[in-house]
């Protein structure tokens, strides 16, 4: 068998083992070069390297071994010729007359670049997808749909695509907008009777970065306008990147046609970072902020304690540094312990009650509170009702029977059943887990 034969067989093995986004991003773009008795030589596109592939490296190794029937050394070289950005204006991407204006990149946060983004197991897929998109906008994956809980780096990675594009293809117009701003802007154009101008505005852009698209729920008019813009971009092969706190199909009231559009390209998730990644992020942050004199043990303590998300992680470090400055003390382990003791258990749960839980669950899943409280057995209602019970159990300290009384007059065994069911399902169903995490986060703010 030649290299190509071996690689193709390995591909089908790998395809069965991996989910589609991981397969597309990490495996499919690799090209076989040559094979001999001891080695298989592969070419890896663009910025990826074999080390970067992390756990996928051993999966490749296993697949190749089982095709060949013995261990081969895998040698990989980076393929610098593949999608490296072209310095020439790319005609496919510039609809209409070329804009020679100075780039307005001020709406992008200058800190949110690829250089400052730490890659770990929790975000590698998303990072690689974002790079692929930045290197070949409109070609690699369109749309790119990034989802994950709050504070995990969605906005950061999305804006990194924007910065990269402005640097490597300055003739392109990058449009970054939060969905909230999009809605307000559209409303003001509607009110002044200038909807056409609103649509035209987007025709001038080459790359659309739409942040937090979950806020489009329940906004029919906005969905319609976004759908039109989306289609125009897609047809002109212009890149669309969307972030969201959940999967498209879980945005209540999002029209089916919109869900299917968002599913067209690649869906990449960001998970909460592990300890190593949290520590690396803190190290990077003190390097960037040029904050010196922070002992490693302090960073380790923060990385160990603050596990929720990266925003909280950075917030805690900032607080420690600010506190040390104010009290004219050095940043030390005892000082950090003092502060962490103050903030971590201070998650004030007293304001979390069944009423708030029902309200948040209702708006998250797009189900009426009355339905959550009622007896209807429709699946779309039963699942959110169970989530509400689970959250009440987890966050309020009320007894099972009290929760049952408050949510639809059920007995304590129904509540217990719901809690166990949700716990079990969360292990199998990442989007349910994400939903529960999002809700917990909303409730504890
Ligand atoms: P989200 O949009 O998912 O809520 P953000 O992109 O706003 O999260 O990220 C929150 C904070 O964490 C930002 O300051 C961002 O720079 C930082 N951050 C997130 N992910 C990373 C990462 N992988 N490396 C470095 N900093 C990160
Ligand atoms: Mg964000």
């Amino acid at each position: 068998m030649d290299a190509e034969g071996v690689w193709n067989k390995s591909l089908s093995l790998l395809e069965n083992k991996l989910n589609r986004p991981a397969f597309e991003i990490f495996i499919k773009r690799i090209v076989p070069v040559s094979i001999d008795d001891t080695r298989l030589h592969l070419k890896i596109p663009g910025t990826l390297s074999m080390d970067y592939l992390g756990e996928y490296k051993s999966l490749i190794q296993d697949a190749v071994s089982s095709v060949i029937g013995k261990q081969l050394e895998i040698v990989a070289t980076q393929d610098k010729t593949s999608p490296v950005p072209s310095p020439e204006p790319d005609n496919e991407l510039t609809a209409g007359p070329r804009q020679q204006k100075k780039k307005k990149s001020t709406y992008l946060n200058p800190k949110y670049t690829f250089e400052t983004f730490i890659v770990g197991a929790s975000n590698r897929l998303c990072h690689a997808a974002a790079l692929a998109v930045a290197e070949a906008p409109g070609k690699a994956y369109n749309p790119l749909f990034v989802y994950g809980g709050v504070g995990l780096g969605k906005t950061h990675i999305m804006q990194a695509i924007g910065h990269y594009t402005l640097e490597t293809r300055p003739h392109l117009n990058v449009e970054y907008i939060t969905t909230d701003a999009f809605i307000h802007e559209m409303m003001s154009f509607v009110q002044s009777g200038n909807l056409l101008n609103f649509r035209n505005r987007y025709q001038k852009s080459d790359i659309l970065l739409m942040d937090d698209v979950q806020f489009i729920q329940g906004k029919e008019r906005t969905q319609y306008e976004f759908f039109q813009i989306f289609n125009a971009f897609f047809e002109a092969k212009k890149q669309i990147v969307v972030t969201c706190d959940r999967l498209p199909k879980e945005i209540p009231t999002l029209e089916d046609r919109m869900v299917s559009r968002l599913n067209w390209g690649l869906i990449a998730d960001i998970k909460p970072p592990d300890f190593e990644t949290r520590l690396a992020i803190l190290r990077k942050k003190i390097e960037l902020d040029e904050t010196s004199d922070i002992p490693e043990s302090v960073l380790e303590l923060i990385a160990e304690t603050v596990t929720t998300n990266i925003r909280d992680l950075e917030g805690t470090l900032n607080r420690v540094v600010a506190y040390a400055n104010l009290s004219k003390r050095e940043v030390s382990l005892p000082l950090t312990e003092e502060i962490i003791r103050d903030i971590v258990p201070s998650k004030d749960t007293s304001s979390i009650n069944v009423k708030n839980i029902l309200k948040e669950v209702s708006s998250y899943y797009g189900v009426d509170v009355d339905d959550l409280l009622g007896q209807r057995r429709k699946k779309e209602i039963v699942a959110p009702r169970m989530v509400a019970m689970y959250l009440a159990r987890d966050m309020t300290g009320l007894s099972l029977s009290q929760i049952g009384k408050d949510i639809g007059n059920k007995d304590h065994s129904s509540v217990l059943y719901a809690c166990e069911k949700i716990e079990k399902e969360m292990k199998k169903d990442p989007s349910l887990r994400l939903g529960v995490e999002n809700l917990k986060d909303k409730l504890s703010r």
Side-chain angles (χ1 to χ4, degrees), residues 185-226:
E185 192 183 287
M186 189 202 77
M187 294 310 285
S188 70
F189 274 96
V190 167
Q191 270 155 20
S192 58
N194 276 328
L195 201 54
L196 220 55
N197 289 353
F198 178 69
R199 291 176 191 160
N200 287 341
R201 181 172 124 51
Y202 285 90
Q203 270 176 17
K204 295 195 195 94
S205 319
D206 302 295
I207 296 187
L208 176 61
L209 309 173
M210 182 97 161
D211 207 358
D212 285 325
V213 84
Q214 69 273 10
F215 293 124
I216 211 167
Q217 72 177 62
K219 306 269 191 312
E220 266 173 50
R221 185 63 188 266
T222 315
Q223 284 187 30
Y224 176 80
E225 289 303 327
F226 181 51

Side-chain angles (χ1 to χ4, degrees), residues 24 32 50 62 90 95 102 130 147 149 166 176 196 252 291 319 365 377 421 434 438:
E24 295 258 339
M50 208 58 186
D62 291 349
D90 193 335
K102 198 169 172 294
Y147 81 102
L166 290 175
Y176 167 84
L196 220 55
T291 340
R319 223 173 297 188
Y365 291 108
R377 307 283 319 151
K421 172 103 177 153
L434 192 61
N438 279 333

Side-chain angles (χ1 to χ4, degrees), residues 222-232 257-258 261:
T222 315
Q223 284 187 30
Y224 176 80
E225 289 303 327
F226 181 51
F227 184 74
Q228 304 301 328
I229 292 170
F230 185 104
N231 284 343
R257 56 178 188 171
M258 202 61 239
R261 289 292 189 280

Side-chain angles (χ1 to χ4, degrees), residues 154-155 176 211-212 243 311:
K154 300 184 296 296
T155 299
Y176 167 84
D211 207 358
D212 285 325
T243 70
R311 192 171 299 147

Side-chain angles (χ1 to χ4, degrees), residues 112 116-118 123 149-156 281 310-311 314:
Y112 291 174
T116 60
F117 192 85
I118 299 289
N123 59 27
V150 284
L152 295 182
K154 300 184 296 296
T155 299
H156 187 144
I281 288 170
I310 299 168
R311 192 171 299 147
E314 293 184 340

Side-chain angles (χ1 to χ4, degrees), residues 109 111-120 122-123 127 146-159 176 211-212 243-244 270 273 277 280-282 284-285 288 309-314:
N109 185 328
K111 288 192 207 143
Y112 291 174
T113 61
F114 281 119
E115 287 75 36
T116 60
F117 192 85
I118 299 289
V119 184
S122 54
N123 59 27
H127 176 259
V146 172
Y147 81 102
V150 284
L152 295 182
K154 300 184 296 296
T155 299
H156 187 144
I157 197 80
M158 166 181 253
Q159 294 204 1
Y176 167 84
D211 207 358
D212 285 325
T243 70
C244 192
I270 306 193
T277 311
I281 288 170
L282 290 174
K284 183 80 182 180
K285 185 166 161 58
L288 291 170
N309 65 53
I310 299 168
R311 192 171 299 147
D312 292 348
L313 193 67
E314 293 184 340

